[in-house]
Amino acid sequence: MDTLFFEYKNELLGTAICLLVLLILKYLGTKAIKKVGKISDINEVRTRLIIKYSTVGLTTFGIVALILIWGVEMKDIGLVFSSVFAVIGVALFAQWSILSNVTAGVILFFSFPFKIGDKIKIMDKEIELPNEVYLIEDIRAFHIHLRRNNGELFTYPNNMMLQKAIALAQTYEDSLERSEVL
């Protein structure tokens, strides 16, 4: 045990100093952020969020400093970071619902029978007002912005636009008028 301590004396001392400096910086930073938040009359929730961001930044800085103190080579760090980012990428972006919304958004944007500016009716029992006419304001990557007649903005997932029956408002109203005549 004594040989281990003497062999890594510089690294252990550097680690202790690094952790002490990080704790002092976290304390001073938190105090300063709270003071600025109080002086500027910023919402307490937002102040805590900024404190959380600064803590994450300091922690990241501390991890990098400890890696450098312990003499880890840059090629090893690159391997670890690329592996971590690959796992995070798969976890965040490979979910079916996200991919289906993006794919549906592309399909809706390029080759579906309605476009931005059209008025549509969504035949879905789960919608509050199923026979209401909506104006398509925007087709985004994950959802569509629909404007109700009363001016309220309504978002609807892109994949649901492909799964539910959608009628162009003019076509739907024309078919209702023809069925009433018959």
PDB file of all heavy atoms in Angstrom, residues 11-41:
ATOM      1  N   GLU A  11      -0.093  12.138  -8.748  1.00  0.00           N
ATOM      2  CA  GLU A  11      -1.455  12.020  -9.275  1.00  0.00           C
ATOM      3  C   GLU A  11      -2.495  12.170  -8.161  1.00  0.00           C
ATOM      4  O   GLU A  11      -3.514  12.828  -8.337  1.00  0.00           O
ATOM      5  CB  GLU A  11      -1.649  10.687  -9.995  1.00  0.00           C
ATOM      6  CG  GLU A  11      -0.929  10.590 -11.325  1.00  0.00           C
ATOM      7  CD  GLU A  11       0.525  10.139 -11.193  1.00  0.00           C
ATOM      8  OE1 GLU A  11       1.009   9.975 -10.048  1.00  0.00           O
ATOM      9  OE2 GLU A  11       1.174   9.970 -12.228  1.00  0.00           O
ATOM     10  N   LEU A  12      -2.235  11.557  -7.001  1.00  0.00           N
ATOM     11  CA  LEU A  12      -3.173  11.663  -5.883  1.00  0.00           C
ATOM     12  C   LEU A  12      -3.245  13.090  -5.354  1.00  0.00           C
ATOM     13  O   LEU A  12      -4.335  13.593  -5.040  1.00  0.00           O
ATOM     14  CB  LEU A  12      -2.776  10.695  -4.766  1.00  0.00           C
ATOM     15  CG  LEU A  12      -2.962   9.214  -5.084  1.00  0.00           C
ATOM     16  CD1 LEU A  12      -2.335   8.342  -4.003  1.00  0.00           C
ATOM     17  CD2 LEU A  12      -4.435   8.879  -5.240  1.00  0.00           C
ATOM     18  N   LEU A  13      -2.105  13.755  -5.265  1.00  0.00           N
ATOM     19  CA  LEU A  13      -2.087  15.147  -4.831  1.00  0.00           C
ATOM     20  C   LEU A  13      -2.818  16.036  -5.838  1.00  0.00           C
ATOM     21  O   LEU A  13      -3.628  16.898  -5.457  1.00  0.00           O
ATOM     22  CB  LEU A  13      -0.638  15.627  -4.648  1.00  0.00           C
ATOM     23  CG  LEU A  13      -0.459  17.052  -4.145  1.00  0.00           C
ATOM     24  CD1 LEU A  13      -1.071  17.204  -2.756  1.00  0.00           C
ATOM     25  CD2 LEU A  13       1.009  17.424  -4.131  1.00  0.00           C
ATOM     26  N   GLY A  14      -2.588  15.813  -7.122  1.00  0.00           N
ATOM     27  CA  GLY A  14      -3.289  16.569  -8.168  1.00  0.00           C
ATOM     28  C   GLY A  14      -4.786  16.336  -8.122  1.00  0.00           C
ATOM     29  O   GLY A  14      -5.579  17.270  -8.305  1.00  0.00           O
ATOM     30  N   THR A  15      -5.196  15.093  -7.850  1.00  0.00           N
ATOM     31  CA  THR A  15      -6.620  14.771  -7.752  1.00  0.00           C
ATOM     32  C   THR A  15      -7.253  15.496  -6.567  1.00  0.00           C
ATOM     33  O   THR A  15      -8.342  16.069  -6.690  1.00  0.00           O
ATOM     34  CB  THR A  15      -6.822  13.252  -7.605  1.00  0.00           C
ATOM     35  OG1 THR A  15      -6.276  12.604  -8.747  1.00  0.00           O
ATOM     36  CG2 THR A  15      -8.285  12.895  -7.456  1.00  0.00           C
ATOM     37  N   ALA A  16      -6.570  15.491  -5.427  1.00  0.00           N
ATOM     38  CA  ALA A  16      -7.102  16.172  -4.246  1.00  0.00           C
ATOM     39  C   ALA A  16      -7.229  17.672  -4.491  1.00  0.00           C
ATOM     40  O   ALA A  16      -8.258  18.284  -4.149  1.00  0.00           O
ATOM     41  CB  ALA A  16      -6.198  15.904  -3.039  1.00  0.00           C
ATOM     42  N   ILE A  17      -6.226  18.266  -5.098  1.00  0.00           N
ATOM     43  CA  ILE A  17      -6.276  19.705  -5.391  1.00  0.00           C
ATOM     44  C   ILE A  17      -7.391  20.002  -6.390  1.00  0.00           C
ATOM     45  O   ILE A  17      -8.151  20.965  -6.227  1.00  0.00           O
ATOM     46  CB  ILE A  17      -4.911  20.206  -5.905  1.00  0.00           C
ATOM     47  CG1 ILE A  17      -3.880  20.158  -4.780  1.00  0.00           C
ATOM     48  CG2 ILE A  17      -5.021  21.610  -6.482  1.00  0.00           C
ATOM     49  CD1 ILE A  17      -2.462  20.412  -5.236  1.00  0.00           C
ATOM     50  N   CYS A  18      -7.514  19.167  -7.408  1.00  0.00           N
ATOM     51  CA  CYS A  18      -8.562  19.361  -8.426  1.00  0.00           C
ATOM     52  C   CYS A  18      -9.951  19.300  -7.797  1.00  0.00           C
ATOM     53  O   CYS A  18     -10.798  20.156  -8.070  1.00  0.00           O
ATOM     54  CB  CYS A  18      -8.402  18.298  -9.519  1.00  0.00           C
ATOM     55  SG  CYS A  18      -9.640  18.408 -10.826  1.00  0.00           S
ATOM     56  N   LEU A  19     -10.203  18.302  -6.952  1.00  0.00           N
ATOM     57  CA  LEU A  19     -11.509  18.170  -6.310  1.00  0.00           C
ATOM     58  C   LEU A  19     -11.793  19.343  -5.373  1.00  0.00           C
ATOM     59  O   LEU A  19     -12.921  19.853  -5.325  1.00  0.00           O
ATOM     60  CB  LEU A  19     -11.595  16.846  -5.557  1.00  0.00           C
ATOM     61  CG  LEU A  19     -11.598  15.590  -6.438  1.00  0.00           C
ATOM     62  CD1 LEU A  19     -11.588  14.336  -5.585  1.00  0.00           C
ATOM     63  CD2 LEU A  19     -12.792  15.584  -7.373  1.00  0.00           C
ATOM     64  N   LEU A  20     -10.775  19.803  -4.653  1.00  0.00           N
ATOM     65  CA  LEU A  20     -10.950  20.945  -3.764  1.00  0.00           C
ATOM     66  C   LEU A  20     -11.284  22.211  -4.555  1.00  0.00           C
ATOM     67  O   LEU A  20     -12.212  22.956  -4.200  1.00  0.00           O
ATOM     68  CB  LEU A  20      -9.683  21.154  -2.929  1.00  0.00           C
ATOM     69  CG  LEU A  20      -9.734  22.276  -1.902  1.00  0.00           C
ATOM     70  CD1 LEU A  20     -10.780  21.964  -0.836  1.00  0.00           C
ATOM     71  CD2 LEU A  20      -8.373  22.484  -1.270  1.00  0.00           C
ATOM     72  N   VAL A  21     -10.558  22.437  -5.641  1.00  0.00           N
ATOM     73  CA  VAL A  21     -10.824  23.607  -6.486  1.00  0.00           C
ATOM     74  C   VAL A  21     -12.227  23.534  -7.080  1.00  0.00           C
ATOM     75  O   VAL A  21     -12.956  24.535  -7.123  1.00  0.00           O
ATOM     76  CB  VAL A  21      -9.749  23.738  -7.592  1.00  0.00           C
ATOM     77  CG1 VAL A  21     -10.160  24.748  -8.652  1.00  0.00           C
ATOM     78  CG2 VAL A  21      -8.405  24.113  -6.991  1.00  0.00           C
ATOM     79  N   LEU A  22     -12.640  22.342  -7.530  1.00  0.00           N
ATOM     80  CA  LEU A  22     -13.984  22.191  -8.100  1.00  0.00           C
ATOM     81  C   LEU A  22     -15.065  22.468  -7.066  1.00  0.00           C
ATOM     82  O   LEU A  22     -16.078  23.111  -7.378  1.00  0.00           O
ATOM     83  CB  LEU A  22     -14.156  20.793  -8.690  1.00  0.00           C
ATOM     84  CG  LEU A  22     -13.433  20.533 -10.001  1.00  0.00           C
ATOM     85  CD1 LEU A  22     -13.557  19.066 -10.398  1.00  0.00           C
ATOM     86  CD2 LEU A  22     -13.974  21.419 -11.097  1.00  0.00           C
ATOM     87  N   LEU A  23     -14.888  21.990  -5.837  1.00  0.00           N
ATOM     88  CA  LEU A  23     -15.873  22.253  -4.788  1.00  0.00           C
ATOM     89  C   LEU A  23     -15.968  23.738  -4.467  1.00  0.00           C
ATOM     90  O   LEU A  23     -17.068  24.276  -4.289  1.00  0.00           O
ATOM     91  CB  LEU A  23     -15.532  21.450  -3.532  1.00  0.00           C
ATOM     92  CG  LEU A  23     -15.785  19.944  -3.622  1.00  0.00           C
ATOM     93  CD1 LEU A  23     -15.254  19.237  -2.386  1.00  0.00           C
ATOM     94  CD2 LEU A  23     -17.272  19.668  -3.801  1.00  0.00           C
ATOM     95  N   ILE A  24     -14.818  24.408  -4.404  1.00  0.00           N
ATOM     96  CA  ILE A  24     -14.817  25.857  -4.132  1.00  0.00           C
ATOM     97  C   ILE A  24     -15.490  26.609  -5.277  1.00  0.00           C
ATOM     98  O   ILE A  24     -16.321  27.500  -5.051  1.00  0.00           O
ATOM     99  CB  ILE A  24     -13.380  26.359  -3.890  1.00  0.00           C
ATOM    100  CG1 ILE A  24     -12.848  25.801  -2.570  1.00  0.00           C
ATOM    101  CG2 ILE A  24     -13.323  27.883  -3.884  1.00  0.00           C
ATOM    102  CD1 ILE A  24     -11.369  26.027  -2.342  1.00  0.00           C
ATOM    103  N   LEU A  25     -15.161  26.240  -6.531  1.00  0.00           N
ATOM    104  CA  LEU A  25     -15.783  26.899  -7.685  1.00  0.00           C
ATOM    105  C   LEU A  25     -17.290  26.659  -7.717  1.00  0.00           C
ATOM    106  O   LEU A  25     -18.063  27.563  -8.055  1.00  0.00           O
ATOM    107  CB  LEU A  25     -15.139  26.411  -8.983  1.00  0.00           C
ATOM    108  CG  LEU A  25     -13.741  26.934  -9.287  1.00  0.00           C
ATOM    109  CD1 LEU A  25     -13.188  26.272 -10.552  1.00  0.00           C
ATOM    110  CD2 LEU A  25     -13.751  28.447  -9.436  1.00  0.00           C
ATOM    111  N   LYS A  26     -17.726  25.456  -7.370  1.00  0.00           N
ATOM    112  CA  LYS A  26     -19.163  25.161  -7.348  1.00  0.00           C
ATOM    113  C   LYS A  26     -19.855  26.009  -6.284  1.00  0.00           C
ATOM    114  O   LYS A  26     -20.911  26.593  -6.541  1.00  0.00           O
ATOM    115  CB  LYS A  26     -19.408  23.682  -7.086  1.00  0.00           C
ATOM    116  CG  LYS A  26     -20.899  23.333  -7.117  1.00  0.00           C
ATOM    117  CD  LYS A  26     -21.137  21.889  -6.804  1.00  0.00           C
ATOM    118  CE  LYS A  26     -22.567  21.467  -6.826  1.00  0.00           C
ATOM    119  NZ  LYS A  26     -23.575  22.336  -6.347  1.00  0.00           N
ATOM    120  N   TYR A  27     -19.261  26.111  -5.120  1.00  0.00           N
ATOM    121  CA  TYR A  27     -19.855  26.914  -4.044  1.00  0.00           C
ATOM    122  C   TYR A  27     -19.938  28.384  -4.441  1.00  0.00           C
ATOM    123  O   TYR A  27     -20.992  29.016  -4.315  1.00  0.00           O
ATOM    124  CB  TYR A  27     -19.030  26.742  -2.753  1.00  0.00           C
ATOM    125  CG  TYR A  27     -19.476  27.651  -1.643  1.00  0.00           C
ATOM    126  CD1 TYR A  27     -20.639  27.370  -0.921  1.00  0.00           C
ATOM    127  CD2 TYR A  27     -18.753  28.799  -1.317  1.00  0.00           C
ATOM    128  CE1 TYR A  27     -21.061  28.205   0.093  1.00  0.00           C
ATOM    129  CE2 TYR A  27     -19.170  29.644  -0.305  1.00  0.00           C
ATOM    130  CZ  TYR A  27     -20.323  29.343   0.390  1.00  0.00           C
ATOM    131  OH  TYR A  27     -20.745  30.173   1.391  1.00  0.00           O
ATOM    132  N   LEU A  28     -18.823  28.933  -4.929  1.00  0.00           N
ATOM    133  CA  LEU A  28     -18.801  30.347  -5.325  1.00  0.00           C
ATOM    134  C   LEU A  28     -19.721  30.616  -6.507  1.00  0.00           C
ATOM    135  O   LEU A  28     -20.414  31.642  -6.546  1.00  0.00           O
ATOM    136  CB  LEU A  28     -17.372  30.783  -5.639  1.00  0.00           C
ATOM    137  CG  LEU A  28     -16.396  30.812  -4.456  1.00  0.00           C
ATOM    138  CD1 LEU A  28     -14.991  31.144  -4.939  1.00  0.00           C
ATOM    139  CD2 LEU A  28     -16.869  31.786  -3.400  1.00  0.00           C
ATOM    140  N   GLY A  29     -19.730  29.701  -7.479  1.00  0.00           N
ATOM    141  CA  GLY A  29     -20.596  29.868  -8.644  1.00  0.00           C
ATOM    142  C   GLY A  29     -22.061  29.836  -8.279  1.00  0.00           C
ATOM    143  O   GLY A  29     -22.861  30.659  -8.748  1.00  0.00           O
ATOM    144  N   THR A  30     -22.443  28.889  -7.420  1.00  0.00           N
ATOM    145  CA  THR A  30     -23.838  28.790  -6.985  1.00  0.00           C
ATOM    146  C   THR A  30     -24.254  30.049  -6.238  1.00  0.00           C
ATOM    147  O   THR A  30     -25.347  30.588  -6.456  1.00  0.00           O
ATOM    148  CB  THR A  30     -24.020  27.551  -6.082  1.00  0.00           C
ATOM    149  OG1 THR A  30     -23.660  26.392  -6.817  1.00  0.00           O
ATOM    150  CG2 THR A  30     -25.449  27.421  -5.607  1.00  0.00           C
ATOM    151  N   LYS A  31     -23.377  30.519  -5.375  1.00  0.00           N
ATOM    152  CA  LYS A  31     -23.679  31.739  -4.613  1.00  0.00           C
ATOM    153  C   LYS A  31     -23.840  32.941  -5.550  1.00  0.00           C
ATOM    154  O   LYS A  31     -24.763  33.742  -5.397  1.00  0.00           O
ATOM    155  CB  LYS A  31     -22.557  31.985  -3.603  1.00  0.00           C
ATOM    156  CG  LYS A  31     -22.925  32.901  -2.506  1.00  0.00           C
ATOM    157  CD  LYS A  31     -21.891  32.829  -1.398  1.00  0.00           C
ATOM    158  CE  LYS A  31     -22.360  33.703  -0.281  1.00  0.00           C
ATOM    159  NZ  LYS A  31     -22.160  33.174   1.011  1.00  0.00           N
ATOM    160  N   ALA A  32     -22.944  33.067  -6.534  1.00  0.00           N
ATOM    161  CA  ALA A  32     -23.015  34.186  -7.483  1.00  0.00           C
ATOM    162  C   ALA A  32     -24.274  34.109  -8.343  1.00  0.00           C
ATOM    163  O   ALA A  32     -24.932  35.133  -8.580  1.00  0.00           O
ATOM    164  CB  ALA A  32     -21.773  34.190  -8.364  1.00  0.00           C
ATOM    165  N   ILE A  33     -24.619  32.913  -8.814  1.00  0.00           N
ATOM    166  CA  ILE A  33     -25.815  32.754  -9.656  1.00  0.00           C
ATOM    167  C   ILE A  33     -27.070  33.094  -8.863  1.00  0.00           C
ATOM    168  O   ILE A  33     -27.974  33.771  -9.367  1.00  0.00           O
ATOM    169  CB  ILE A  33     -25.877  31.327 -10.237  1.00  0.00           C
ATOM    170  CG1 ILE A  33     -24.745  31.126 -11.244  1.00  0.00           C
ATOM    171  CG2 ILE A  33     -27.227  31.062 -10.882  1.00  0.00           C
ATOM    172  CD1 ILE A  33     -24.548  29.687 -11.671  1.00  0.00           C
ATOM    173  N   LYS A  34     -27.142  32.657  -7.605  1.00  0.00           N
ATOM    174  CA  LYS A  34     -28.303  32.986  -6.776  1.00  0.00           C
ATOM    175  C   LYS A  34     -28.400  34.490  -6.537  1.00  0.00           C
ATOM    176  O   LYS A  34     -29.496  35.058  -6.545  1.00  0.00           O
ATOM    177  CB  LYS A  34     -28.226  32.244  -5.441  1.00  0.00           C
ATOM    178  CG  LYS A  34     -28.580  30.785  -5.537  1.00  0.00           C
ATOM    179  CD  LYS A  34     -28.553  30.120  -4.174  1.00  0.00           C
ATOM    180  CE  LYS A  34     -28.941  28.660  -4.269  1.00  0.00           C
ATOM    181  NZ  LYS A  34     -28.911  27.990  -2.963  1.00  0.00           N
ATOM    182  N   LYS A  35     -27.249  35.134  -6.325  1.00  0.00           N
ATOM    183  CA  LYS A  35     -27.246  36.575  -6.091  1.00  0.00           C
ATOM    184  C   LYS A  35     -27.714  37.332  -7.328  1.00  0.00           C
ATOM    185  O   LYS A  35     -28.535  38.255  -7.237  1.00  0.00           O
ATOM    186  CB  LYS A  35     -25.850  37.027  -5.684  1.00  0.00           C
ATOM    187  CG  LYS A  35     -25.778  38.441  -5.210  1.00  0.00           C
ATOM    188  CD  LYS A  35     -24.413  38.767  -4.654  1.00  0.00           C
ATOM    189  CE  LYS A  35     -24.394  40.169  -4.072  1.00  0.00           C
ATOM    190  NZ  LYS A  35     -23.100  40.473  -3.455  1.00  0.00           N
ATOM    191  N   VAL A  36     -27.191  36.949  -8.490  1.00  0.00           N
ATOM    192  CA  VAL A  36     -27.620  37.586  -9.743  1.00  0.00           C
ATOM    193  C   VAL A  36     -29.100  37.340  -9.985  1.00  0.00           C
ATOM    194  O   VAL A  36     -29.840  38.233 -10.413  1.00  0.00           O
ATOM    195  CB  VAL A  36     -26.764  37.079 -10.927  1.00  0.00           C
ATOM    196  CG1 VAL A  36     -27.354  37.504 -12.258  1.00  0.00           C
ATOM    197  CG2 VAL A  36     -25.333  37.566 -10.800  1.00  0.00           C
ATOM    198  N   GLY A  37     -29.569  36.117  -9.704  1.00  0.00           N
ATOM    199  CA  GLY A  37     -30.985  35.799  -9.874  1.00  0.00           C
ATOM    200  C   GLY A  37     -31.873  36.638  -8.973  1.00  0.00           C
ATOM    201  O   GLY A  37     -32.939  37.091  -9.373  1.00  0.00           O
ATOM    202  N   LYS A  38     -31.422  36.861  -7.732  1.00  0.00           N
ATOM    203  CA  LYS A  38     -32.206  37.665  -6.800  1.00  0.00           C
ATOM    204  C   LYS A  38     -32.204  39.137  -7.193  1.00  0.00           C
ATOM    205  O   LYS A  38     -33.243  39.800  -7.167  1.00  0.00           O
ATOM    206  CB  LYS A  38     -31.653  37.496  -5.386  1.00  0.00           C
ATOM    207  CG  LYS A  38     -32.511  38.118  -4.323  1.00  0.00           C
ATOM    208  CD  LYS A  38     -32.019  37.740  -2.951  1.00  0.00           C
ATOM    209  CE  LYS A  38     -32.995  36.716  -2.425  1.00  0.00           C
ATOM    210  NZ  LYS A  38     -32.744  36.306  -1.077  1.00  0.00           N
ATOM    211  N   ILE A  39     -31.031  39.646  -7.597  1.00  0.00           N
ATOM    212  CA  ILE A  39     -30.934  41.058  -8.000  1.00  0.00           C
ATOM    213  C   ILE A  39     -31.758  41.311  -9.258  1.00  0.00           C
ATOM    214  O   ILE A  39     -32.450  42.324  -9.367  1.00  0.00           O
ATOM    215  CB  ILE A  39     -29.454  41.451  -8.228  1.00  0.00           C
ATOM    216  CG1 ILE A  39     -28.717  41.495  -6.897  1.00  0.00           C
ATOM    217  CG2 ILE A  39     -29.343  42.790  -8.938  1.00  0.00           C
ATOM    218  CD1 ILE A  39     -27.209  41.654  -7.039  1.00  0.00           C
ATOM    219  N   SER A  40     -31.693  40.400 -10.216  1.00  0.00           N
ATOM    220  CA  SER A  40     -32.401  40.574 -11.494  1.00  0.00           C
ATOM    221  C   SER A  40     -33.848  40.133 -11.426  1.00  0.00           C
ATOM    222  O   SER A  40     -34.556  40.190 -12.429  1.00  0.00           O
ATOM    223  CB  SER A  40     -31.686  39.779 -12.590  1.00  0.00           C
ATOM    224  OG  SER A  40     -30.359  40.194 -12.716  1.00  0.00           O
ATOM    225  N   ASP A  41     -34.279  39.638 -10.275  1.00  0.00           N
ATOM    226  CA  ASP A  41     -35.654  39.167 -10.079  1.00  0.00           C
ATOM    227  C   ASP A  41     -36.021  38.082 -11.091  1.00  0.00           C
ATOM    228  O   ASP A  41     -37.076  38.117 -11.713  1.00  0.00           O
ATOM    229  CB  ASP A  41     -36.636  40.338 -10.149  1.00  0.00           C
ATOM    230  CG  ASP A  41     -37.978  39.978  -9.545  1.00  0.00           C
ATOM    231  OD1 ASP A  41     -38.017  39.155  -8.617  1.00  0.00           O
ATOM    232  OD2 ASP A  41     -39.003  40.513 -10.035  1.00  0.00           O
TER     233      ASP A  41
END
